[in-house]
Amino acid sequence: MRLTCKFMKSLKFLIYFLFFILVSCRTSTYIVKNPAQRTGVDFTQGKWLLNELDCPKGNTEKLTLEILTSFKKNLHERLFYINDVNGLLIARKIALNPNRATLKELKDGTGFDFFINISTKKNKNDISVIGLYEDENSTGFNQSEVTLEVYDLNLQQIIYSQRVIGTDSSKKEKSMWESKKSDKLIDNISFHKSSNRLQIGSLKKILKD
C-alpha cells in the first residue's frame, strides 16, 4: 500500500512536470528572418575569433557559453574568444553587416581567418513567466531576437548571416473543441518564456542551422 501511494505521487509529479513543459513550449514561436541563407559554414579550415556579444545585461554569460560549446564541437582548438586573446587592435563592438574596409581592419588587427559577430535584443518584456486566466482577449508578449554573422576576413566578405525572432504571447486562442472553462486555478495557469529564455531559444535555432 505504501509503495502504491509513493508510485502515485511520483506519477502525479511526472504528469504535472510534462504539463509544464508542453504548455511552456506550446506558446513560443521562432521565426527565421533570412530563409534565403541556404548554405552552412565550412569549419574545416582557418583560425576563428568569436567577438564579445552585443547583448543586454544579465544573459551574456549563458549565451556566450552556448555559442562556445556549439562552435567548439566543429572548431576545437581553432576557436578563440576575443576576451581571451591579447594584442588585438580592434574595437570590441563591431556593427552588423560591416563594409569591406571594416573587414580589412579586422584582418589586419587580429590576423584571424574568420570572425563571428553576434547581436541580441529584447524587443518586448510584457508578461511574467506565469500567467493566470488568460484567453483570446489577453494582450502582451515577450520577444527577443538574435542575429549571427560570420565573416571571411581573407576574402573580406560576409559568408553567413541569420536572424531569428522568438516570441511568447499571453493571448491564448480558443479551440473549437474547448469545453466550458473550469474555475480551478490549476486549469487557468499558463507558463511563458522570459525574454532571456527566448534569446537562448533563438540562438539555438540559428546554431542548428
Side-chain angles (χ1 to χ4, degrees), residues 14-39:
L14 179 61
I15 291 172
Y16 276 112
F17 177 76
L18 291 174
F19 172 79
F20 174 84
I21 296 298
L22 288 172
V23 174
S24 296
C25 296
R26 184 183 62 189
T27 57
S28 304
T29 58
Y30 295 95
I31 299 175
V32 177
K33 302 300 288 186
N34 188 16
Q37 179 71 58
R38 297 184 180 277
T39 57

mmCIF file with all atom_site columns, all heavy atoms in Angstrom, residues 14-39:
data_model
loop_
_atom_site.group_PDB
_atom_site.id
_atom_site.type_symbol
_atom_site.label_atom_id
_atom_site.label_alt_id
_atom_site.label_comp_id
_atom_site.label_asym_id
_atom_site.label_entity_id
_atom_site.label_seq_id
_atom_site.pdbx_PDB_ins_code
_atom_site.Cartn_x
_atom_site.Cartn_y
_atom_site.Cartn_z
_atom_site.occupancy
_atom_site.B_iso_or_equiv
_atom_site.pdbx_formal_charge
_atom_site.auth_seq_id
_atom_site.auth_comp_id
_atom_site.auth_asym_id
_atom_site.auth_atom_id
_atom_site.pdbx_PDB_model_num
ATOM 1   N N   . LEU A 1 14 ? 5.127  13.598 -12.259 1.00 0.00 ? 14 LEU A N   1
ATOM 2   C CA  . LEU A 1 14 ? 5.565  13.481 -13.648 1.00 0.00 ? 14 LEU A CA  1
ATOM 3   C C   . LEU A 1 14 ? 4.552  14.112 -14.596 1.00 0.00 ? 14 LEU A C   1
ATOM 4   O O   . LEU A 1 14 ? 4.911  14.800 -15.549 1.00 0.00 ? 14 LEU A O   1
ATOM 5   C CB  . LEU A 1 14 ? 5.779  12.007 -14.001 1.00 0.00 ? 14 LEU A CB  1
ATOM 6   C CG  . LEU A 1 14 ? 6.216  11.706 -15.445 1.00 0.00 ? 14 LEU A CG  1
ATOM 7   C CD1 . LEU A 1 14 ? 7.553  12.378 -15.733 1.00 0.00 ? 14 LEU A CD1 1
ATOM 8   C CD2 . LEU A 1 14 ? 6.318  10.207 -15.664 1.00 0.00 ? 14 LEU A CD2 1
ATOM 9   N N   . ILE A 1 15 ? 3.270  13.885 -14.326 1.00 0.00 ? 15 ILE A N   1
ATOM 10  C CA  . ILE A 1 15 ? 2.216  14.453 -15.176 1.00 0.00 ? 15 ILE A CA  1
ATOM 11  C C   . ILE A 1 15 ? 2.235  15.967 -15.129 1.00 0.00 ? 15 ILE A C   1
ATOM 12  O O   . ILE A 1 15 ? 2.151  16.643 -16.159 1.00 0.00 ? 15 ILE A O   1
ATOM 13  C CB  . ILE A 1 15 ? 0.835  13.923 -14.733 1.00 0.00 ? 15 ILE A CB  1
ATOM 14  C CG1 . ILE A 1 15 ? 0.722  12.429 -15.060 1.00 0.00 ? 15 ILE A CG1 1
ATOM 15  C CG2 . ILE A 1 15 ? -0.284 14.701 -15.426 1.00 0.00 ? 15 ILE A CG2 1
ATOM 16  C CD1 . ILE A 1 15 ? -0.526 11.779 -14.494 1.00 0.00 ? 15 ILE A CD1 1
ATOM 17  N N   . TYR A 1 16 ? 2.386  16.534 -13.930 1.00 0.00 ? 16 TYR A N   1
ATOM 18  C CA  . TYR A 1 16 ? 2.450  17.999 -13.804 1.00 0.00 ? 16 TYR A CA  1
ATOM 19  C C   . TYR A 1 16 ? 3.694  18.556 -14.481 1.00 0.00 ? 16 TYR A C   1
ATOM 20  O O   . TYR A 1 16 ? 3.662  19.622 -15.093 1.00 0.00 ? 16 TYR A O   1
ATOM 21  C CB  . TYR A 1 16 ? 2.428  18.407 -12.330 1.00 0.00 ? 16 TYR A CB  1
ATOM 22  C CG  . TYR A 1 16 ? 1.043  18.481 -11.746 1.00 0.00 ? 16 TYR A CG  1
ATOM 23  C CD1 . TYR A 1 16 ? 0.621  17.581 -10.773 1.00 0.00 ? 16 TYR A CD1 1
ATOM 24  C CD2 . TYR A 1 16 ? 0.146  19.458 -12.172 1.00 0.00 ? 16 TYR A CD2 1
ATOM 25  C CE1 . TYR A 1 16 ? -0.652 17.648 -10.246 1.00 0.00 ? 16 TYR A CE1 1
ATOM 26  C CE2 . TYR A 1 16 ? -1.133 19.529 -11.635 1.00 0.00 ? 16 TYR A CE2 1
ATOM 27  C CZ  . TYR A 1 16 ? -1.525 18.629 -10.681 1.00 0.00 ? 16 TYR A CZ  1
ATOM 28  O OH  . TYR A 1 16 ? -2.794 18.701 -10.155 1.00 0.00 ? 16 TYR A OH  1
ATOM 29  N N   . PHE A 1 17 ? 4.801  17.824 -14.370 1.00 0.00 ? 17 PHE A N   1
ATOM 30  C CA  . PHE A 1 17 ? 6.045  18.261 -14.997 1.00 0.00 ? 17 PHE A CA  1
ATOM 31  C C   . PHE A 1 17 ? 5.905  18.285 -16.521 1.00 0.00 ? 17 PHE A C   1
ATOM 32  O O   . PHE A 1 17 ? 6.296  19.247 -17.179 1.00 0.00 ? 17 PHE A O   1
ATOM 33  C CB  . PHE A 1 17 ? 7.195  17.338 -14.592 1.00 0.00 ? 17 PHE A CB  1
ATOM 34  C CG  . PHE A 1 17 ? 8.506  17.675 -15.240 1.00 0.00 ? 17 PHE A CG  1
ATOM 35  C CD1 . PHE A 1 17 ? 9.263  18.752 -14.808 1.00 0.00 ? 17 PHE A CD1 1
ATOM 36  C CD2 . PHE A 1 17 ? 8.983  16.918 -16.301 1.00 0.00 ? 17 PHE A CD2 1
ATOM 37  C CE1 . PHE A 1 17 ? 10.460 19.070 -15.409 1.00 0.00 ? 17 PHE A CE1 1
ATOM 38  C CE2 . PHE A 1 17 ? 10.184 17.229 -16.910 1.00 0.00 ? 17 PHE A CE2 1
ATOM 39  C CZ  . PHE A 1 17 ? 10.926 18.304 -16.457 1.00 0.00 ? 17 PHE A CZ  1
ATOM 40  N N   . LEU A 1 18 ? 5.339  17.216 -17.073 1.00 0.00 ? 18 LEU A N   1
ATOM 41  C CA  . LEU A 1 18 ? 5.133  17.154 -18.528 1.00 0.00 ? 18 LEU A CA  1
ATOM 42  C C   . LEU A 1 18 ? 4.161  18.233 -18.979 1.00 0.00 ? 18 LEU A C   1
ATOM 43  O O   . LEU A 1 18 ? 4.333  18.835 -20.043 1.00 0.00 ? 18 LEU A O   1
ATOM 44  C CB  . LEU A 1 18 ? 4.609  15.771 -18.926 1.00 0.00 ? 18 LEU A CB  1
ATOM 45  C CG  . LEU A 1 18 ? 5.598  14.616 -18.788 1.00 0.00 ? 18 LEU A CG  1
ATOM 46  C CD1 . LEU A 1 18 ? 4.909  13.282 -19.078 1.00 0.00 ? 18 LEU A CD1 1
ATOM 47  C CD2 . LEU A 1 18 ? 6.783  14.804 -19.737 1.00 0.00 ? 18 LEU A CD2 1
ATOM 48  N N   . PHE A 1 19 ? 3.146  18.476 -18.174 1.00 0.00 ? 19 PHE A N   1
ATOM 49  C CA  . PHE A 1 19 ? 2.197  19.542 -18.488 1.00 0.00 ? 19 PHE A CA  1
ATOM 50  C C   . PHE A 1 19 ? 2.884  20.888 -18.560 1.00 0.00 ? 19 PHE A C   1
ATOM 51  O O   . PHE A 1 19 ? 2.664  21.680 -19.471 1.00 0.00 ? 19 PHE A O   1
ATOM 52  C CB  . PHE A 1 19 ? 1.095  19.571 -17.423 1.00 0.00 ? 19 PHE A CB  1
ATOM 53  C CG  . PHE A 1 19 ? 0.163  20.753 -17.537 1.00 0.00 ? 19 PHE A CG  1
ATOM 54  C CD1 . PHE A 1 19 ? -0.858 20.773 -18.460 1.00 0.00 ? 19 PHE A CD1 1
ATOM 55  C CD2 . PHE A 1 19 ? 0.322  21.857 -16.704 1.00 0.00 ? 19 PHE A CD2 1
ATOM 56  C CE1 . PHE A 1 19 ? -1.706 21.859 -18.554 1.00 0.00 ? 19 PHE A CE1 1
ATOM 57  C CE2 . PHE A 1 19 ? -0.521 22.947 -16.796 1.00 0.00 ? 19 PHE A CE2 1
ATOM 58  C CZ  . PHE A 1 19 ? -1.547 22.938 -17.723 1.00 0.00 ? 19 PHE A CZ  1
ATOM 59  N N   . PHE A 1 20 ? 3.773  21.138 -17.599 1.00 0.00 ? 20 PHE A N   1
ATOM 60  C CA  . PHE A 1 20 ? 4.535  22.398 -17.558 1.00 0.00 ? 20 PHE A CA  1
ATOM 61  C C   . PHE A 1 20 ? 5.374  22.549 -18.817 1.00 0.00 ? 20 PHE A C   1
ATOM 62  O O   . PHE A 1 20 ? 5.393  23.597 -19.448 1.00 0.00 ? 20 PHE A O   1
ATOM 63  C CB  . PHE A 1 20 ? 5.428  22.411 -16.324 1.00 0.00 ? 20 PHE A CB  1
ATOM 64  C CG  . PHE A 1 20 ? 6.349  23.597 -16.266 1.00 0.00 ? 20 PHE A CG  1
ATOM 65  C CD1 . PHE A 1 20 ? 5.905  24.796 -15.747 1.00 0.00 ? 20 PHE A CD1 1
ATOM 66  C CD2 . PHE A 1 20 ? 7.649  23.504 -16.735 1.00 0.00 ? 20 PHE A CD2 1
ATOM 67  C CE1 . PHE A 1 20 ? 6.752  25.887 -15.693 1.00 0.00 ? 20 PHE A CE1 1
ATOM 68  C CE2 . PHE A 1 20 ? 8.494  24.591 -16.686 1.00 0.00 ? 20 PHE A CE2 1
ATOM 69  C CZ  . PHE A 1 20 ? 8.047  25.783 -16.166 1.00 0.00 ? 20 PHE A CZ  1
ATOM 70  N N   . ILE A 1 21 ? 6.074  21.485 -19.215 1.00 0.00 ? 21 ILE A N   1
ATOM 71  C CA  . ILE A 1 21 ? 6.940  21.542 -20.399 1.00 0.00 ? 21 ILE A CA  1
ATOM 72  C C   . ILE A 1 21 ? 6.135  21.773 -21.654 1.00 0.00 ? 21 ILE A C   1
ATOM 73  O O   . ILE A 1 21 ? 6.472  22.614 -22.498 1.00 0.00 ? 21 ILE A O   1
ATOM 74  C CB  . ILE A 1 21 ? 7.761  20.242 -20.539 1.00 0.00 ? 21 ILE A CB  1
ATOM 75  C CG1 . ILE A 1 21 ? 8.725  20.087 -19.353 1.00 0.00 ? 21 ILE A CG1 1
ATOM 76  C CG2 . ILE A 1 21 ? 8.527  20.231 -21.846 1.00 0.00 ? 21 ILE A CG2 1
ATOM 77  C CD1 . ILE A 1 21 ? 9.755  21.177 -19.246 1.00 0.00 ? 21 ILE A CD1 1
ATOM 78  N N   . LEU A 1 22 ? 5.039  21.022 -21.816 1.00 0.00 ? 22 LEU A N   1
ATOM 79  C CA  . LEU A 1 22 ? 4.237  21.132 -23.029 1.00 0.00 ? 22 LEU A CA  1
ATOM 80  C C   . LEU A 1 22 ? 3.603  22.502 -23.178 1.00 0.00 ? 22 LEU A C   1
ATOM 81  O O   . LEU A 1 22 ? 3.604  23.095 -24.255 1.00 0.00 ? 22 LEU A O   1
ATOM 82  C CB  . LEU A 1 22 ? 3.140  20.060 -23.038 1.00 0.00 ? 22 LEU A CB  1
ATOM 83  C CG  . LEU A 1 22 ? 3.624  18.627 -23.266 1.00 0.00 ? 22 LEU A CG  1
ATOM 84  C CD1 . LEU A 1 22 ? 2.474  17.656 -23.048 1.00 0.00 ? 22 LEU A CD1 1
ATOM 85  C CD2 . LEU A 1 22 ? 4.213  18.464 -24.660 1.00 0.00 ? 22 LEU A CD2 1
ATOM 86  N N   . VAL A 1 23 ? 3.082  23.033 -22.093 1.00 0.00 ? 23 VAL A N   1
ATOM 87  C CA  . VAL A 1 23 ? 2.447  24.351 -22.159 1.00 0.00 ? 23 VAL A CA  1
ATOM 88  C C   . VAL A 1 23 ? 3.482  25.424 -22.409 1.00 0.00 ? 23 VAL A C   1
ATOM 89  O O   . VAL A 1 23 ? 3.263  26.368 -23.162 1.00 0.00 ? 23 VAL A O   1
ATOM 90  C CB  . VAL A 1 23 ? 1.661  24.631 -20.865 1.00 0.00 ? 23 VAL A CB  1
ATOM 91  C CG1 . VAL A 1 23 ? 1.121  26.048 -20.861 1.00 0.00 ? 23 VAL A CG1 1
ATOM 92  C CG2 . VAL A 1 23 ? 0.520  23.637 -20.726 1.00 0.00 ? 23 VAL A CG2 1
ATOM 93  N N   . SER A 1 24 ? 4.659  25.295 -21.784 1.00 0.00 ? 24 SER A N   1
ATOM 94  C CA  . SER A 1 24 ? 5.707  26.296 -21.956 1.00 0.00 ? 24 SER A CA  1
ATOM 95  C C   . SER A 1 24 ? 6.159  26.356 -23.395 1.00 0.00 ? 24 SER A C   1
ATOM 96  O O   . SER A 1 24 ? 6.372  27.420 -23.953 1.00 0.00 ? 24 SER A O   1
ATOM 97  C CB  . SER A 1 24 ? 6.906  25.958 -21.059 1.00 0.00 ? 24 SER A CB  1
ATOM 98  O OG  . SER A 1 24 ? 6.530  26.032 -19.705 1.00 0.00 ? 24 SER A OG  1
ATOM 99  N N   . CYS A 1 25 ? 6.306  25.191 -24.014 1.00 0.00 ? 25 CYS A N   1
ATOM 100 C CA  . CYS A 1 25 ? 6.804  25.149 -25.389 1.00 0.00 ? 25 CYS A CA  1
ATOM 101 C C   . CYS A 1 25 ? 5.740  25.567 -26.390 1.00 0.00 ? 25 CYS A C   1
ATOM 102 O O   . CYS A 1 25 ? 6.036  26.130 -27.417 1.00 0.00 ? 25 CYS A O   1
ATOM 103 C CB  . CYS A 1 25 ? 7.294  23.739 -25.729 1.00 0.00 ? 25 CYS A CB  1
ATOM 104 S SG  . CYS A 1 25 ? 8.717  23.223 -24.739 1.00 0.00 ? 25 CYS A SG  1
ATOM 105 N N   . ARG A 1 26 ? 4.472  25.275 -26.054 1.00 0.00 ? 26 ARG A N   1
ATOM 106 C CA  . ARG A 1 26 ? 3.397  25.496 -26.999 1.00 0.00 ? 26 ARG A CA  1
ATOM 107 C C   . ARG A 1 26 ? 3.215  26.965 -27.329 1.00 0.00 ? 26 ARG A C   1
ATOM 108 O O   . ARG A 1 26 ? 2.823  27.325 -28.435 1.00 0.00 ? 26 ARG A O   1
ATOM 109 C CB  . ARG A 1 26 ? 2.098  24.918 -26.414 1.00 0.00 ? 26 ARG A CB  1
ATOM 110 C CG  . ARG A 1 26 ? 0.908  24.994 -27.348 1.00 0.00 ? 26 ARG A CG  1
ATOM 111 C CD  . ARG A 1 26 ? -0.329 24.479 -26.649 1.00 0.00 ? 26 ARG A CD  1
ATOM 112 N NE  . ARG A 1 26 ? -0.646 25.286 -25.484 1.00 0.00 ? 26 ARG A NE  1
ATOM 113 C CZ  . ARG A 1 26 ? -1.567 24.958 -24.588 1.00 0.00 ? 26 ARG A CZ  1
ATOM 114 N NH1 . ARG A 1 26 ? -2.221 23.820 -24.706 1.00 0.00 ? 26 ARG A NH1 1
ATOM 115 N NH2 . ARG A 1 26 ? -1.811 25.755 -23.561 1.00 0.00 ? 26 ARG A NH2 1
ATOM 116 N N   . THR A 1 27 ? 3.488  27.852 -26.387 1.00 0.00 ? 27 THR A N   1
ATOM 117 C CA  . THR A 1 27 ? 3.197  29.259 -26.589 1.00 0.00 ? 27 THR A CA  1
ATOM 118 C C   . THR A 1 27 ? 4.340  30.022 -27.267 1.00 0.00 ? 27 THR A C   1
ATOM 119 O O   . THR A 1 27 ? 4.190  31.193 -27.570 1.00 0.00 ? 27 THR A O   1
ATOM 120 C CB  . THR A 1 27 ? 2.899  29.936 -25.246 1.00 0.00 ? 27 THR A CB  1
ATOM 121 O OG1 . THR A 1 27 ? 4.016  29.758 -24.370 1.00 0.00 ? 27 THR A OG1 1
ATOM 122 C CG2 . THR A 1 27 ? 1.656  29.338 -24.602 1.00 0.00 ? 27 THR A CG2 1
ATOM 123 N N   . SER A 1 28 ? 5.474  29.377 -27.488 1.00 0.00 ? 28 SER A N   1
ATOM 124 C CA  . SER A 1 28 ? 6.634  30.067 -28.052 1.00 0.00 ? 28 SER A CA  1
ATOM 125 C C   . SER A 1 28 ? 6.768  29.775 -29.548 1.00 0.00 ? 28 SER A C   1
ATOM 126 O O   . SER A 1 28 ? 6.562  28.651 -29.991 1.00 0.00 ? 28 SER A O   1
ATOM 127 C CB  . SER A 1 28 ? 7.922  29.622 -27.344 1.00 0.00 ? 28 SER A CB  1
ATOM 128 O OG  . SER A 1 28 ? 7.818  29.843 -25.960 1.00 0.00 ? 28 SER A OG  1
ATOM 129 N N   . THR A 1 29 ? 7.103  30.816 -30.301 1.00 0.00 ? 29 THR A N   1
ATOM 130 C CA  . THR A 1 29 ? 7.354  30.651 -31.736 1.00 0.00 ? 29 THR A CA  1
ATOM 131 C C   . THR A 1 29 ? 8.685  31.301 -32.096 1.00 0.00 ? 29 THR A C   1
ATOM 132 O O   . THR A 1 29 ? 9.052  32.330 -31.528 1.00 0.00 ? 29 THR A O   1
ATOM 133 C CB  . THR A 1 29 ? 6.237  31.295 -32.584 1.00 0.00 ? 29 THR A CB  1
ATOM 134 O OG1 . THR A 1 29 ? 6.146  32.696 -32.263 1.00 0.00 ? 29 THR A OG1 1
ATOM 135 C CG2 . THR A 1 29 ? 4.891  30.639 -32.307 1.00 0.00 ? 29 THR A CG2 1
ATOM 136 N N   . TYR A 1 30 ? 9.388  30.688 -33.058 1.00 0.00 ? 30 TYR A N   1
ATOM 137 C CA  . TYR A 1 30 ? 10.664 31.217 -33.526 1.00 0.00 ? 30 TYR A CA  1
ATOM 138 C C   . TYR A 1 30 ? 10.597 31.370 -35.044 1.00 0.00 ? 30 TYR A C   1
ATOM 139 O O   . TYR A 1 30 ? 10.320 30.406 -35.754 1.00 0.00 ? 30 TYR A O   1
ATOM 140 C CB  . TYR A 1 30 ? 11.815 30.278 -33.131 1.00 0.00 ? 30 TYR A CB  1
ATOM 141 C CG  . TYR A 1 30 ? 12.017 30.187 -31.639 1.00 0.00 ? 30 TYR A CG  1
ATOM 142 C CD1 . TYR A 1 30 ? 11.437 29.161 -30.898 1.00 0.00 ? 30 TYR A CD1 1
ATOM 143 C CD2 . TYR A 1 30 ? 12.755 31.147 -30.953 1.00 0.00 ? 30 TYR A CD2 1
ATOM 144 C CE1 . TYR A 1 30 ? 11.593 29.089 -29.521 1.00 0.00 ? 30 TYR A CE1 1
ATOM 145 C CE2 . TYR A 1 30 ? 12.918 31.090 -29.574 1.00 0.00 ? 30 TYR A CE2 1
ATOM 146 C CZ  . TYR A 1 30 ? 12.332 30.053 -28.868 1.00 0.00 ? 30 TYR A CZ  1
ATOM 147 O OH  . TYR A 1 30 ? 12.488 29.989 -27.510 1.00 0.00 ? 30 TYR A OH  1
ATOM 148 N N   . ILE A 1 31 ? 10.813 32.595 -35.490 1.00 0.00 ? 31 ILE A N   1
ATOM 149 C CA  . ILE A 1 31 ? 10.706 32.892 -36.922 1.00 0.00 ? 31 ILE A CA  1
ATOM 150 C C   . ILE A 1 31 ? 12.089 33.212 -37.483 1.00 0.00 ? 31 ILE A C   1
ATOM 151 O O   . ILE A 1 31 ? 12.790 34.094 -36.975 1.00 0.00 ? 31 ILE A O   1
ATOM 152 C CB  . ILE A 1 31 ? 9.757  34.088 -37.164 1.00 0.00 ? 31 ILE A CB  1
ATOM 153 C CG1 . ILE A 1 31 ? 8.350  33.753 -36.650 1.00 0.00 ? 31 ILE A CG1 1
ATOM 154 C CG2 . ILE A 1 31 ? 9.711  34.444 -38.642 1.00 0.00 ? 31 ILE A CG2 1
ATOM 155 C CD1 . ILE A 1 31 ? 7.379  34.907 -36.743 1.00 0.00 ? 31 ILE A CD1 1
ATOM 156 N N   . VAL A 1 32 ? 12.464 32.491 -38.529 1.00 0.00 ? 32 VAL A N   1
ATOM 157 C CA  . VAL A 1 32 ? 13.732 32.734 -39.219 1.00 0.00 ? 32 VAL A CA  1
ATOM 158 C C   . VAL A 1 32 ? 13.520 33.859 -40.212 1.00 0.00 ? 32 VAL A C   1
ATOM 159 O O   . VAL A 1 32 ? 12.662 33.762 -41.105 1.00 0.00 ? 32 VAL A O   1
ATOM 160 C CB  . VAL A 1 32 ? 14.221 31.458 -39.944 1.00 0.00 ? 32 VAL A CB  1
ATOM 161 C CG1 . VAL A 1 32 ? 15.498 31.734 -40.716 1.00 0.00 ? 32 VAL A CG1 1
ATOM 162 C CG2 . VAL A 1 32 ? 14.444 30.334 -38.938 1.00 0.00 ? 32 VAL A CG2 1
ATOM 163 N N   . LYS A 1 33 ? 14.271 34.933 -40.088 1.00 0.00 ? 33 LYS A N   1
ATOM 164 C CA  . LYS A 1 33 ? 14.045 36.128 -40.904 1.00 0.00 ? 33 LYS A CA  1
ATOM 165 C C   . LYS A 1 33 ? 14.890 36.167 -42.175 1.00 0.00 ? 33 LYS A C   1
ATOM 166 O O   . LYS A 1 33 ? 14.737 37.064 -42.995 1.00 0.00 ? 33 LYS A O   1
ATOM 167 C CB  . LYS A 1 33 ? 14.326 37.380 -40.068 1.00 0.00 ? 33 LYS A CB  1
ATOM 168 C CG  . LYS A 1 33 ? 13.493 37.483 -38.804 1.00 0.00 ? 33 LYS A CG  1
ATOM 169 C CD  . LYS A 1 33 ? 12.010 37.516 -39.104 1.00 0.00 ? 33 LYS A CD  1
ATOM 170 C CE  . LYS A 1 33 ? 11.583 38.828 -39.727 1.00 0.00 ? 33 LYS A CE  1
ATOM 171 N NZ  . LYS A 1 33 ? 10.116 38.917 -39.903 1.00 0.00 ? 33 LYS A NZ  1
ATOM 172 N N   . ASN A 1 34 ? 15.804 35.221 -42.322 1.00 0.00 ? 34 ASN A N   1
ATOM 173 C CA  . ASN A 1 34 ? 16.631 35.197 -43.518 1.00 0.00 ? 34 ASN A CA  1
ATOM 174 C C   . ASN A 1 34 ? 16.624 33.799 -44.139 1.00 0.00 ? 34 ASN A C   1
ATOM 175 O O   . ASN A 1 34 ? 17.647 33.110 -44.185 1.00 0.00 ? 34 ASN A O   1
ATOM 176 C CB  . ASN A 1 34 ? 18.068 35.619 -43.195 1.00 0.00 ? 34 ASN A CB  1
ATOM 177 C CG  . ASN A 1 34 ? 18.929 35.787 -44.445 1.00 0.00 ? 34 ASN A CG  1
ATOM 178 O OD1 . ASN A 1 34 ? 18.401 35.877 -45.554 1.00 0.00 ? 34 ASN A OD1 1
ATOM 179 N ND2 . ASN A 1 34 ? 20.233 35.820 -44.283 1.00 0.00 ? 34 ASN A ND2 1
ATOM 180 N N   . PRO A 1 35 ? 15.461 33.342 -44.605 1.00 0.00 ? 35 PRO A N   1
ATOM 181 C CA  . PRO A 1 35 ? 15.359 31.992 -45.158 1.00 0.00 ? 35 PRO A CA  1
ATOM 182 C C   . PRO A 1 35 ? 16.186 31.795 -46.420 1.00 0.00 ? 35 PRO A C   1
ATOM 183 O O   . PRO A 1 35 ? 16.448 30.666 -46.829 1.00 0.00 ? 35 PRO A O   1
ATOM 184 C CB  . PRO A 1 35 ? 13.860 31.844 -45.459 1.00 0.00 ? 35 PRO A CB  1
ATOM 185 C CG  . PRO A 1 35 ? 13.352 33.247 -45.613 1.00 0.00 ? 35 PRO A CG  1
ATOM 186 C CD  . PRO A 1 35 ? 14.173 34.074 -44.671 1.00 0.00 ? 35 PRO A CD  1
ATOM 187 N N   . ALA A 1 36 ? 16.612 32.897 -47.045 1.00 0.00 ? 36 ALA A N   1
ATOM 188 C CA  . ALA A 1 36 ? 17.434 32.783 -48.258 1.00 0.00 ? 36 ALA A CA  1
ATOM 189 C C   . ALA A 1 36 ? 18.832 32.243 -47.954 1.00 0.00 ? 36 ALA A C   1
ATOM 190 O O   . ALA A 1 36 ? 19.554 31.817 -48.857 1.00 0.00 ? 36 ALA A O   1
ATOM 191 C CB  . ALA A 1 36 ? 17.536 34.142 -48.945 1.00 0.00 ? 36 ALA A CB  1
ATOM 192 N N   . GLN A 1 37 ? 19.232 32.285 -46.665 1.00 0.00 ? 37 GLN A N   1
ATOM 193 C CA  . GLN A 1 37 ? 20.538 31.751 -46.269 1.00 0.00 ? 37 GLN A CA  1
ATOM 194 C C   . GLN A 1 37 ? 20.447 30.227 -46.247 1.00 0.00 ? 37 GLN A C   1
ATOM 195 O O   . GLN A 1 37 ? 20.074 29.599 -45.272 1.00 0.00 ? 37 GLN A O   1
ATOM 196 C CB  . GLN A 1 37 ? 20.932 32.264 -44.887 1.00 0.00 ? 37 GLN A CB  1
ATOM 197 C CG  . GLN A 1 37 ? 22.267 31.746 -44.376 1.00 0.00 ? 37 GLN A CG  1
ATOM 198 C CD  . GLN A 1 37 ? 23.452 32.339 -45.117 1.00 0.00 ? 37 GLN A CD  1
ATOM 199 O OE1 . GLN A 1 37 ? 23.626 33.547 -45.158 1.00 0.00 ? 37 GLN A OE1 1
ATOM 200 N NE2 . GLN A 1 37 ? 24.266 31.482 -45.704 1.00 0.00 ? 37 GLN A NE2 1
ATOM 201 N N   . ARG A 1 38 ? 20.794 29.599 -47.379 1.00 0.00 ? 38 ARG A N   1
ATOM 202 C CA  . ARG A 1 38 ? 20.607 28.158 -47.536 1.00 0.00 ? 38 ARG A CA  1
ATOM 203 C C   . ARG A 1 38 ? 21.901 27.370 -47.367 1.00 0.00 ? 38 ARG A C   1
ATOM 204 O O   . ARG A 1 38 ? 21.887 26.152 -47.342 1.00 0.00 ? 38 ARG A O   1
ATOM 205 C CB  . ARG A 1 38 ? 19.993 27.848 -48.903 1.00 0.00 ? 38 ARG A CB  1
ATOM 206 C CG  . ARG A 1 38 ? 18.600 28.452 -49.075 1.00 0.00 ? 38 ARG A CG  1
ATOM 207 C CD  . ARG A 1 38 ? 17.972 28.047 -50.388 1.00 0.00 ? 38 ARG A CD  1
ATOM 208 N NE  . ARG A 1 38 ? 16.642 28.620 -50.543 1.00 0.00 ? 38 ARG A NE  1
ATOM 209 C CZ  . ARG A 1 38 ? 15.540 28.100 -50.023 1.00 0.00 ? 38 ARG A CZ  1
ATOM 210 N NH1 . ARG A 1 38 ? 15.614 26.998 -49.302 1.00 0.00 ? 38 ARG A NH1 1
ATOM 211 N NH2 . ARG A 1 38 ? 14.365 28.671 -50.204 1.00 0.00 ? 38 ARG A NH2 1
ATOM 212 N N   . THR A 1 39 ? 23.027 28.048 -47.294 1.00 0.00 ? 39 THR A N   1
ATOM 213 C CA  . THR A 1 39 ? 24.294 27.336 -47.161 1.00 0.00 ? 39 THR A CA  1
ATOM 214 C C   . THR A 1 39 ? 24.837 27.493 -45.746 1.00 0.00 ? 39 THR A C   1
ATOM 215 O O   . THR A 1 39 ? 24.683 28.531 -45.112 1.00 0.00 ? 39 THR A O   1
ATOM 216 C CB  . THR A 1 39 ? 25.335 27.881 -48.155 1.00 0.00 ? 39 THR A CB  1
ATOM 217 O OG1 . THR A 1 39 ? 25.507 29.293 -47.934 1.00 0.00 ? 39 THR A OG1 1
ATOM 218 C CG2 . THR A 1 39 ? 24.876 27.650 -49.589 1.00 0.00 ? 39 THR A CG2 1
#
